[in-house]
Structure formats: structure tokens, C-alpha cells
Amino acid sequence: MKHVLFGGDGFVGRHLAAALVAEGEEVVVADIAKSELSHYGAARHMAIDVTDADAVRSVPISAEDQVYNLSAKMLSPIMPRAKRHEFFFPVNYFGTKNIIEAMDAAGAQRLVHFTTDMIYGHTKIFPMTEEHPVAPLGEYGLSKWKTEELAAEWRGRGMNITLFRPRLIIGPGRLGILEKLFKLIDANLPVPMIGSGKNPYQFISVFDCAEAARLAWKAGTPDEAYNLGSLNPPPVRKLLGDLIRHAGSKSILLPTPAWAVKRTLDFLDLLNKPLMDPEQYLIADENCVLDVGKGERQLGWVPKHRDEDMLIAAYREYRAKKAGAAAVPAFAEAAE
């Protein structure tokens, strides 16, 4: 057998590919991009756009292969309201459809697929288990939920599909919305919080995501969904306060009335001039914490990286990037 990673050159995929190569596995990375990664000495790369069904079918998938779908359009960059559907759905939904149909044509039965915790919408159960009600708040979460409906359909036809629902993934190479935060801290400016900041905030490390995918393969690709998040996430005000102290910044944390901030951001979004995506700010003051116990019970997966360490490591990477240095080792050391 071999491992076929669609989107395998991306944020999570490159770490999963490296781990599989290190185990001596045969790896094919199918991705529109190709980075300078050392494991390409042992892994095969194919330039594939998942929105092109013919291109996806050209990938040499065999019946016994393990397939992973790591391709996705994310919430960064922030897209105007009018363009979100056309931005998210071609890759997130139709790309997934193309992959599953190519697998079916090849007789392949095992898929590991990443969706998002954004399918849950507003917090109804705390902590959020995999049985939490589904009510996406925007096109990104909706595009991912539609892939879960697609997975349910193909499970009924005999496929084994493992679904992962991660919180905000952070790690080397992706700063996203955090860059705005870091700029405020570097400029010693007030850091506004949506609400009081007493609610917890949960990340998930890119390394922990890659390990979850590897363990799903080892476990035989269970027909289950799993939340991915850190353990014991701290309150927002502690998370940000620790970062400000680490940076030696004079920034102060600024609580705000959440309802007023949300209505202001709603208005800007309506004007197609968003500062944040609604799927981010509408839940910013809620207790959005994923229960990750199911992954431990069924896969033996336990997240290793703490939210505080991940955020500080991301800040170090930001500072190193400004200085023209590489910060990947700093993340790995700080997040252990």
C-alpha cells in the first residue's frame, strides 16, 4: 500500500508526509504547490488541483491505499461577504467530492479527512463533544459540513472515513489573524478583547494534527469523527497577558462590550469591508472548548502542545520573520 496525501504540501500535510516517510512508508503528495521540503527525496510529488476532477483521477490510487484529504481554503485571508461561497466551496466541497469519486473508481476504501470545529456554530454544550448540534455560521463552516454529509453518504456505500474537527491550527509557517495581534503588541498599543476575556481559548498544534492523522491510519481508519484541540485551555486574558509579558510590551488588555463589537463588525461585514470573519467574532466570547477525550480513547491520541507555548512560539516566529531569520526550531522547542 501507499499513502496518498491530497494537499500534502500544505500546513498539516507536510508534517504528516515527513512522519510517514520517516516510518519507511511510500508517500505520494498530490498538491498544486511544491515547497523545498527535505522529505521529497523519498516522497513523490504530483502537481494536482483538487478542483480539477480529471487531474484528481490521474493520481495513481490503488485499492489498498490510504488516502488523506488535507486540501482546504481557510478563513485567512478574510474574504468579503459577497465572495465567500465562490472562495470556499470549489476546494472544500467539490475538491473533496472529486477525491472521493476518484477513490471509488480505484476501489480505495480508506480516507482521513479534515473538516473544522466551525461546523458547530454557537456553543450549546460545554465542553463540545462530537455530538454537539451542527449549525455553521458562515460559508467556511458550511462548506466543511457539506463534506461531512458527503462522507456519511459514502460510508453507506462501504468506505471507511475518519473525520477530524480541529480548533484553530497554529504552528510554523502560518500566522494568519495572529499577525494583527502581534503588531499591536509590538507597537505597545491596547489589545481589545471581544467581551471580558474570562472565557477560555483553545488552539491545536499542527504537529498534534499530523499525529492524529497518522494514528487514524494505524487504527484502521475508523468511521468516526474526532475533535482536535489542546488540553486545559486558559482564559483569553491570561493567554494574551502572558504573551504581552513575554514580549516585554507595554500593551494593556482592553475588555469591550461583546454585543456592541459584534454589531459593529456585522455592519462592516454587510458593507463587504470585514475586519474579521463572522465565524470568528460571533463566538469570540463563548466557551468554545472541544472535548478531545474520544481521540484518546479510540486512537491513543493525546495533544502534547499547550496553548500558551504555541502562542508565544508563533510570536517568536513573527519576530524572527521580521528580522529575516527562520523560527521553525523555536516553535518545536517552545511547544514541547
Side-chain angles (χ1 to χ4, degrees):
M1 65 161 287
K2 61 183 177 294
H3 299 262
V4 181
L5 282 63
F6 287 95
D9 194 84
F11 191 43
V12 175
R14 61 182 56 194
H15 298 291
L16 174 60
L20 293 171
V21 165
E23 287 202 33
E25 296 294 318
E26 181 182 356
V27 175
V28 175
V29 172
D31 199 309
I32 198 168
K34 185 179 182 182
S35 305
E36 294 295 324
L37 301 171
S38 60
H39 59 258
Y40 280 135
R44 177 184 176 188
H45 180 276
M46 296 183 67
I48 298 295
D49 182 343
V50 296
T51 66
D52 183 339
D54 291 334
V56 173
R57 283 195 295 270
S58 74
V59 178
I61 301 173
S62 300
E64 67 274 13
D65 291 347
Q66 175 70 61
V67 181
Y68 307 80
N69 183 20
L70 304 152
S71 61
K73 288 287 189 180
M74 310 300 291
L75 283 173
S76 180
I78 302 299
M79 297 301 297
R81 182 189 190 100
K83 295 183 178 180
R84 285 177 194 145
H85 185 87
E86 65 186 62
F87 181 74
F88 292 118
F89 269 78
V91 171
N92 293 359
Y93 177 75
F94 290 104
T96 302
K97 184 173 183 288
N98 290 339
I99 291 166
I100 291 177
E101 289 177 353
M103 289 177 60
D104 181 56
Q109 299 293 311
R110 296 183 298 162
L111 174 66
V112 172
H113 175 59
F114 277 73
T115 68
T116 175
D117 72 309
M118 292 288 184
I119 67 168
Y120 295 135
H122 289 295
T123 306
K124 303 295 183 184
I125 301 169
F126 176 80
M128 298 165 126
T129 67
E130 289 81 359
E131 286 70 45
H132 190 282
V134 170
L137 297 172
E139 293 291 335
Y140 171 66
L142 180 62
S143 69
K144 289 293 194 175
W145 172 242
K146 290 297 182 183
T147 68
E148 293 212 13
E149 292 183 329
L150 195 62
E153 176 187 337
W154 282 94
R155 281 169 169 171
R157 301 185 193 184
M159 277 194 186
N160 279 34
I161 302 178
T162 300
L163 300 171
F164 286 118
R165 300 168 180 167
R167 282 290 286 157
L168 177 64
I169 306 173
I170 64 173
R174 180 187 288 177
L175 294 176
I177 196 171
L178 294 177
E179 191 162 2
K180 296 179 180 179
L181 167 66
F182 298 156
K183 286 179 178 179
L184 290 176
I185 291 173
D186 268 8
N188 297 305
L189 294 173
V191 176
M193 300 178 293
I194 299 179
S196 66
K198 293 180 180 179
N199 59 300
Y201 197 88
Q202 184 182 37
F203 296 121
I204 182 63
S205 161
V206 65
F207 303 114
D208 285 330
C209 286
E211 177 62 4
R214 190 189 70 86
L215 289 174
W217 157 57
K218 290 286 190 180
T221 322
D223 264 343
E224 298 286 348
Y226 300 97
N227 288 332
L228 298 181
S230 63
L231 299 175
N232 306 312
V236 171
R237 61 168 57 249
K238 181 182 186 305
L239 190 63
L240 298 182
D242 288 350
L243 175 61
I244 290 168
R245 283 187 289 275
H246 171 83
S249 172
K250 296 178 182 178
S251 292
I252 61 169
L253 296 176
L254 186 64
T256 63
W259 64 270
V261 174
K262 291 179 185 181
R263 297 299 76 79
T264 301
L265 293 173
D266 279 341
F267 180 67
L268 291 172
D269 191 60
L270 193 62
L271 296 177
N272 276 319
K273 296 181 179 180
L275 296 181
M276 293 178 67
D277 192 283
E279 293 179 77
Q280 297 168 322
Y281 67 75
L282 288 175
I283 61 171
D285 61 331
E286 296 182 5
N287 291 325
C288 297
V289 175
L290 301 183
D291 182 325
V292 298
K294 182 178 177 182
E296 180 179 5
R297 294 190 300 272
Q298 297 188 6
L299 303 178
W301 176 82
V302 179
K304 296 180 180 179
H305 301 273
R306 299 169 65 245
D307 297 279
E308 301 93 329
D309 296 334
M310 286 187 273
L311 187 59
I312 287 173
Y315 176 74
R316 287 177 179 169
E317 181 183 5
Y318 162 78
R319 293 290 300 169
K321 183 179 176 183
K322 285 184 66 176
V328 173
F331 178 88
E333 292 167 10
E336 287 294 342

